[in-house]
Amino acid sequence: MREILGRRLQRLRDRFKFPRAAPRSTAAVPSLLDGALTCATLWRWPVLPGVGRAGADSTRCACPDPDCVVPGAHPFDPGLLAATADARMVAWWWTRRPTAPVLLATGGAAPCAVSLSAGAAARAVVRLDAQGMRLGPIVATPTRWSLLVAPYSLERLGELLYAKDHVPSSLRFHGEGGYLLLPPSTASGGGQVRWEREPAAGRDGLWLPEVEAVVDALVEASSGAPGGGSRLAY
């Protein structure tokens, strides 16, 4: 699968006259351009570049907010509505901003996601695996994991959560109008964004579980986190 993907990315580079990728021995981490093109062309996910960092030490968010809580890892210019799966537009963005984070515009026809603290998520995944639950891709940062799920509407999500006695505030839902930081970006708090479980296509395309199938385990795991799941670690 990796070899096929690598050949496909190289054909795109050759077609649009992008610089050739460095050999694997000197490029242990895929470039952000490759990551964005993979999402856009292989999975047809709408992506856009995040705002990125600024300052001499690259610790400050490039947006105007001096107190930004997710420095570098959110849309700004272009805005979220500009997200696209068009390879030419994606290439244009990242050849001009090669260090920009890769953002997925969630919802609509694209995957949604549910994110929670890394420790709680790891426990929930173990539980779901033990139950025989088939999970989809999982995005991991040093502090949070995001489980990708099939698209859901806000109305559907509201009905699901209304039936719960308690939903920890640290549990975050990335639905229509939201976004998710994707590999191989740098997380807002530092460290690499990675695939805990990479996307894998079957005969019917990319598998994504329904949100109802995973939310109970995620709510329980978040409730058992320090502070009863009330602490949101970005």
Side-chain angles (χ1 to χ4, degrees):
M1 181 66 181
R2 289 180 182 273
E3 293 179 0
I4 295 173
L5 180 56
R7 289 196 295 269
R8 183 174 297 184
L9 287 172
Q10 192 53 61
R11 285 197 298 270
L12 282 168
R13 286 177 173 275
D14 293 341
R15 178 183 175 188
F16 298 128
K17 297 181 173 58
F18 307 142
R20 293 187 69 87
R24 291 294 296 176
S25 59
T26 58
V29 178
S31 72
L32 291 157
L33 170 60
D34 284 348
L37 283 173
T38 297
C39 294
T41 62
L42 187 60
W43 310 118
R44 306 303 300 167
W45 293 351
V47 296
L48 76 160
V51 63
R53 303 291 187 108
D57 54 2
S58 297
T59 58
R60 181 175 59 81
C61 186
C63 77
D65 184 0
D67 300 315
C68 181
V69 295
V70 283
H74 64 87
F76 182 67
D77 184 16
L80 188 61
L81 292 178
T84 182
D86 180 77
R88 286 185 178 274
M89 190 71 244
V90 169
W92 188 87
W93 278 331
W94 269 274
T95 52
R96 285 157 180 75
R97 296 173 55 192
T99 62
V102 181
L103 299 181
L104 164 69
T106 54
C112 292
V114 184
S115 68
L116 63 163
S117 65
R123 293 192 297 272
V125 168
V126 168
R127 174 185 170 188
L128 291 168
D129 283 341
Q131 293 173 349
M133 175 67 65
R134 184 182 178 190
L135 297 175
I138 301 175
V139 176
T141 75
T143 58
R144 295 183 71 79
W145 287 14
S146 300
L147 281 69
L148 270 62
V149 297
Y152 56 75
S153 67
L154 293 178
E155 292 79 9
R156 179 178 165 196
L157 178 64
E159 291 175 358
L160 178 64
L161 299 182
Y162 182 77
K164 306 295 179 190
D165 293 332
H166 170 66
V167 178
S169 59
S170 60
L171 200 61
R172 186 176 271 182
F173 296 88
H174 308 259
E176 189 166 0
Y179 62 90
L180 185 68
L181 190 65
L182 293 180
S185 308
T186 298
S188 59
Q192 197 75 29
V193 183
R194 60 180 178 81
W195 291 111
E196 174 64 21
R197 294 193 181 177
E198 294 189 38
R203 292 183 179 180
D204 300 324
L206 179 67
W207 167 257
L208 293 169
E210 298 295 331
V211 65
E212 292 90 344
V214 300
V215 75
D216 284 346
L218 302 185
V219 167
E220 182 175 331
S222 293
S223 298
S230 61
R231 299 175 185 174
L232 178 61
Y234 290 95

